[in-house]
Amino acid sequence: MTRFRTLDDAGALQGKRVLVRVDLNVPMDNGRVTDATRITRVLPTIREVAEAGGRVVLLAHFGRPKGKPNDAESLRPVAEAVQRELGRPVAFATDCIGETAAAAVARLRDGEVVMLENTRFHAGEEKNDPDFVRALAANGDVYVNEAFSASHRAHASTEGLAHVLPAYAGRLMQAEIEALSKGLEAPARPVLAIVGGSKVSTKIDLLLNLVAKVDALVIGGGMANTFVHATGLGVGKSLCEKDLAGTALRIIEAARETNCAIILPVDAVVAEEFKAGAPHHTYGIDAIPEAGMILDIGSQSVERIAAALNDARTLVWNGPVGAFEYPPFDQGTVAAARHAAERTRAGTLVSVAGGGDTVAALNHAGVAGDFTYVSTAGGAFLEWLEGKPLPGVDALRIKA
């Protein structure tokens, strides 16, 4: 596995100003954080640096202010939430560069924490402007990237700083890199990927990359309908991107060339209304009624996924295989998730999952905590699956 610089390589932090880039783009309602998950996941790194005597300077973005400061996208309420979760004072500075930031950092004593204002209040952040990078770096001696979820963007605070200060991965970033490396970079084989969701159009690059790297690929959710249609079968009134039939066939051909087995549904749960509790029946995939909508996979398809999971040693999962938000059309996703969790608990499967709907589906199934690793990184996780470079991660690589 490619080596990255982590906190283990950082040496003594006592008395050093440590710029810690975190992703605290958390959901808010009336000025209060409604979900502190992203905060709690970075606390171990903050505590580790503080307990080593480092002076913690938190850098983060919030929203899309496009270089224009405004109260609605200030990090002040987020700093208050971090203080509550951390259980120690977190000071706040009303700018992330210049005299205001410098004064706030200068007041820190060993082990203390300050959060600087939204980095995106400056246009230089998203432009990765060298002058802005230097202005940020002026307040630090060491840089720690703890924001994997923002590392698919080459911004000043996620990539630029790594080239001007000694740079290391924080513990969450380290865990993410190690988990993803086990998923595709150096996996135990056979490798199974499950890819669901509504549209093929949003996951073409992902599918083309996966068929070159995994041994079997389950395609589910609404996007499976496009593949079923491409093979010449009817899908009734189901969600289907019929104009992408050629693309679906190209992916199937690419999988054939790389000896990757494509696993499509063989039966489906069908209703005439897209709502919870709608009357429904199960049909073979070659017998979908014209007025019907495919909303979940059927029991035979679940059995095929379970068999593939039994053969696999590594699982990479992105996207539900049915409309899990609308019971009873959650049953296929829940059954597959619970089987994967069972094999993971037994120690026979390394399971890595990510993407917003995927995390929600695994939580719905009650098994998110049983997977080897569940990424909350969203766009960065998807771009990793697509085989695209992640600038913020690549900047931490140890060069040979």
Side-chain angles (χ1 to χ4, degrees), residues 32-393:
R32 291 191 62 83
V33 174
T34 57
D35 183 347
T37 301
R38 284 189 167 177
I39 294 174
T40 57
R41 296 191 82 172
V42 300
L43 295 182
T45 289
I46 296 173
R47 289 194 177 108
E48 182 175 344
V49 173
E51 289 166 7
R55 303 177 182 189
V56 183
V57 182
L58 299 177
L59 297 175
H61 74 277
F62 185 76
R64 299 179 180 275
K66 299 297 182 183
K68 298 178 181 179
N70 65 87
D71 291 343
E73 292 173 303
S74 171
L75 281 170
R76 185 183 292 276
V78 179
E80 294 168 358
V82 172
Q83 178 170 285
R84 286 194 300 272
E85 298 292 336
L86 186 61
R88 66 171 72 194
V90 175
F92 180 73
T94 57
D95 202 348
C96 61
I97 60 172
E99 294 181 5
T100 300
V105 172
R107 286 193 291 269
L108 288 177
R109 292 178 293 184
D110 294 359
E112 292 186 340
V113 183
V114 64
M115 178 180 289
L116 306 186
E117 184 57 282
N118 195 338
T119 56
R120 290 187 181 176
F121 279 0
H122 294 268
E125 163 70 339
E126 294 186 73
K127 293 178 180 177
N128 202 1
D129 179 76
D131 289 338
F132 184 67
V133 171
R134 284 190 288 271
L136 289 174
N139 291 312
D141 305 301
V142 173
Y143 169 69
V144 173
N145 192 342
E146 189 65 329
F148 177 86
S149 51
S151 291
H152 56 313
R153 301 289 181 252
H155 292 173
S157 67
T158 58
E159 195 265 350
L161 281 171
H163 298 292
V164 297
L165 289 175
Y168 309 95
R171 296 307 182 194
L172 178 61
M173 171 75 90
Q174 179 183 353
E176 195 98 32
I177 293 171
E178 291 173 351
L180 299 188
S181 295
K182 289 178 182 177
L184 284 185
E185 186 175 316
R189 291 193 175 274
V191 182
L192 172 68
I194 297 176
V195 179
S198 59
K199 294 183 177 181
V200 175
S201 55
T202 62
K203 296 189 177 181
I204 294 171
D205 290 344
L206 183 157
L207 293 169
L208 287 171
N209 185 53
L210 286 179
V211 296
K213 292 189 174 182
V214 306
D215 301 289
L217 171 61
V218 171
I219 299 176
M223 63 191 304
N225 302 335
T226 301
F227 282 82
V228 171
H229 164 74
T231 63
L233 297 177
V235 295
K237 293 184 178 179
S238 308
L239 176 67
C240 180
E241 295 176 289
K242 293 182 178 180
D243 59 321
L244 290 181
T247 300
L249 292 175
R250 180 161 60 94
I251 292 167
I252 291 172
E253 179 58 29
R256 187 178 294 116
E257 292 174 357
T258 58
N259 202 30
C260 170
I262 296 284
I263 301 173
L264 292 171
V266 293
D267 60 348
V269 181
V270 177
E272 292 188 6
E273 293 181 276
F274 186 30
K275 68 177 185 179
H280 55 279
H281 300 280
T282 301
Y283 296 90
I285 204 67
D286 59 350
I288 305 301
E290 290 186 8
M293 290 184 288
I294 298 172
L295 298 180
D296 197 9
I297 57 174
S299 59
Q300 293 180 44
S301 299
V302 171
E303 289 174 5
R304 292 192 76 194
I305 294 175
L309 284 166
N310 290 341
D311 290 338
R313 294 181 62 197
T314 300
L315 167 67
V316 178
W317 189 334
N318 173 253
V321 296
F324 79 96
E325 306 96 331
Y326 299 94
F329 309 112
D330 58 343
Q331 293 182 10
T333 298
V334 168
R338 289 179 177 171
H339 193 79
E342 179 183 342
R343 291 218 50 227
T344 304
R345 289 194 301 270
T348 56
L349 183 71
V350 172
S351 52
V352 179
D357 286 346
T358 315
V359 176
L362 297 183
N363 284 328
H364 175 72
V367 297
D370 294 320
F371 272 53
T372 305
Y373 194 81
V374 177
S375 172
T376 59
F381 181 82
L382 279 175
E383 293 201 13
W384 169 78
L385 280 183
E386 292 168 358
K388 295 178 180 177
L390 304 181
V393 175

